[in-house]
Amino acid sequence: MSNKIPVGVLGATGAVGQKFVKLLENHPWFDLTEVAASDRSAGKRYEEATPWRQYTPIPEPVKNLEVKPCEPALDCKLVFSGLDSSVAGEVEEEFARAGYLVLSNSKNHRMDEDVPLLVPEINPDHLGLIETQRRNRKWSGAIVTNPNCSTIGLVMALAPIHYKFGVARVIVTTLQALSGAGYPGHAAIDMLGNVIPFIGGEESKVETEPLKIMGALEGDRIRFADFRISAHTNRVFVEDGHMECVSVELRKKASPEEVARALADFRSLPQELSLPTAPARPVIVTDERDRPQPRFDSGAGAGMSAVVGRIRECPVFDIRFVALSHNTIRGAAGAAILNAELMKARGYLD
Ligand code: NAP
């Protein structure tokens, strides 16, 4: 008998769901015992229902699990959600109402006042909102979200800079991988030799989510960080890894070397607690002149580190750089698993 904590994945057949299945294989604390998806998949064996697109085989114990409907009758206390946003909002609420801890990737509840938008290295104290959420919504479960896949690389790079020098204004241009659009995503003919300068709803997420994440928990609400972000978001012909070109105006002037040091030295609670999915270095700084690149760097820190390079002066703002993070690991499944590990370490799973 395993003494690991049984967990489930909602939307287990999708791009993010598959990444959960892969990352939970041999997890030291969690045992994936339940997989759920839409009516199209329910009743089938996982292997039969899933267009598996990972580079390692489906973990043996999961292959033959029956895909269940996304109803709160799963035999576990904690569910990870990789559900399509058209259904995630309601389904996640049903689970929280029934007492489950829901670790969500979806946009639906991220900006709710009483829902933590958690990055364990940056705002672990925002877990305090769970009490408020339970009181407001009269449920015993909880919804905890992780940021959008392009927000995460930006906040991982901005937070250490903000803490040391203060951020005043930011302009960011993203180059986002195809896997960020789910599977099968865009038609190949639309993407080949092409860039699409529009991702629905993405710019407003990149402009607002970092302000909540870097905000301060005051009583039962978050006071948002007070700087402004302008975002351009683009879909590019890359498999995995969202790249972002960032220019930052600082409140206190700093040289590129000082900024590089603040980023490279950044460590936080997940590293102190040695959480299983925490990267040793949340931000890896590279001084190679043509890095980071998605193909070579998105797997840094097992996909959990942000890689920042080309840190240099900006003739319009103060500092500019390029940041990269893995969109389905640090930007989705890996982020939610790290959130769950922090919750376990903080006693939410006792
Ligand atoms: P996806 O590949 O399209 O997968 C969607 C999943 O939702 C599938 O398992 C699908 O099940 C399930 N689903 C769809 N309609 C359903 C319904 N009516 N009832 C129950 N289940 C339903 O999408 P994805 O890229 O994995 O994204 C999943 C979520 O994560 C989205 O909210 C997305 O915005 C967010 N996200 C994605 C990324 C990324 O890089 N891809 C990063 C961060 C966040 P069936 O297979 O049975 O249809």
Side-chain angles (χ1 to χ4, degrees):
M1 263 292 277
S2 154
N3 54 9
K4 292 186 192 178
I5 298 164
V7 299
V9 174
L10 310 178
T13 51
V16 171
Q18 291 180 26
K19 201 58 96 180
F20 275 122
V21 171
K22 181 179 157 70
L23 296 178
L24 288 167
E25 187 178 15
N26 304 319
H27 191 282
W29 299 351
F30 303 134
D31 190 14
L32 177 58
T33 55
E34 295 275 27
V35 286
S38 78
D39 293 345
R40 295 177 287 278
S41 308
K44 296 181 181 161
R45 291 185 305 113
Y46 183 74
E47 180 180 38
E48 201 189 330
T50 308
W52 186 256
R53 286 294 178 281
Q54 306 300 310
Y55 292 116
T56 49
I58 302 177
E60 270 311 313
V62 182
K63 262 187 179 172
N64 291 318
L65 286 181
E66 182 192 335
V67 179
K68 306 263 178 81
C70 287
E71 290 160 8
L74 304 181
D75 191 13
C76 54
K77 253 170 96 170
L78 183 153
V79 288
F80 295 102
S81 167
L83 282 173
D84 189 83
S85 58
S86 60
V87 290
E90 266 179 48
V91 172
E92 291 170 359
E93 285 182 23
E94 278 170 32
F95 273 83
R97 201 170 296 120
Y100 292 79
L101 295 183
V102 182
L103 280 294
S104 168
N105 272 284
S106 249
K107 64 178 180 186
N108 308 62
H109 294 293
R110 282 187 198 134
M111 298 304 283
D112 292 3
E113 277 195 356
D114 56 359
V115 171
L117 177 50
L118 192 67
V119 179
E121 281 92 346
I122 300 175
N123 60 357
D125 59 315
H126 288 198
L127 275 179
L129 281 179
I130 287 178
E131 238 174 84
T132 313
Q133 187 187 121
R134 287 178 168 164
R135 210 172 41 242
N136 287 351
R137 308 204 188 205
K138 300 181 177 42
W139 61 34
S140 57
I143 299 176
V144 172
T145 60
N146 51 265
N148 174 266
C149 46
S150 43
T151 298
I152 186 71
L154 183 65
V155 281
M156 296 278 283
L158 282 184
I161 298 174
H162 188 53
Y163 298 149
K164 270 228 142 104
F165 311 111
V167 168
R169 291 192 294 173
V170 177
I171 294 181
V172 54
T173 300
T174 70
L175 299 96
Q176 299 184 214
L178 287 174
S179 59
Y183 185 80
H186 293 276
I189 194 76
D190 291 335
M191 289 309 305
L192 188 63
N194 204 13
V195 172
I196 300 193
F198 174 76
I199 302 174
E202 197 81 348
E203 287 169 357
S204 67
K205 292 178 202 163
V206 178
E207 289 169 354
T208 54
E209 291 179 11
L211 307 181
K212 179 173 178 183
I213 295 163
M214 284 188 260
L217 178 64
E218 290 179 349
D220 57 5
R221 56 182 49 218
I222 307 286
R223 182 169 50 80
F224 281 33
D226 67 341
F227 58 86
R228 280 185 299 156
I229 302 173
S230 167
H232 307 259
T233 57
N234 302 284
R235 186 74 67 197
V236 298
F237 201 51
V238 161
E239 186 183 6
D240 288 314
H242 289 353
M243 194 144 105
E244 317 193 23
C245 302
V246 189
S247 288
V248 185
E249 184 179 54
L250 300 172
R251 294 192 192 277
K252 181 178 159 217
K253 301 299 167 208
S255 67
E257 293 71 30
E258 287 172 311
V259 168
R261 207 169 315 121
L263 290 168
D265 289 349
F266 181 59
R267 301 285 184 280
S268 189
L269 189 61
Q271 287 70 39
E272 275 166 39
L273 296 174
S274 298
L275 298 179
T277 302
R281 290 185 290 161
V283 182
I284 294 173
V285 173
T286 170
D287 54 12
E288 288 184 59
R289 66 178 188 176
D290 60 355
R291 303 282 280 270
Q293 295 180 19
R295 194 185 302 159
F296 301 113
D297 299 310
S298 61
M304 290 297 289
S305 297
V307 183
V308 176
R310 304 214 62 225
I311 303 171
R312 60 211 194 279
E313 281 179 6
C314 172
V316 177
F317 284 177
D318 294 303
I319 287 289
R320 54 190 163 156
F321 55 82
V322 179
L324 176 79
S325 60
H326 196 299
N327 53 295
T328 58
I329 302 181
R330 187 71 210 216
I337 294 172
L338 185 61
N339 286 353
E341 291 169 358
L342 177 67
M343 290 179 75
K344 176 177 179 324
R346 285 289 182 252
Y348 286 93
L349 285 168
D350 296 344

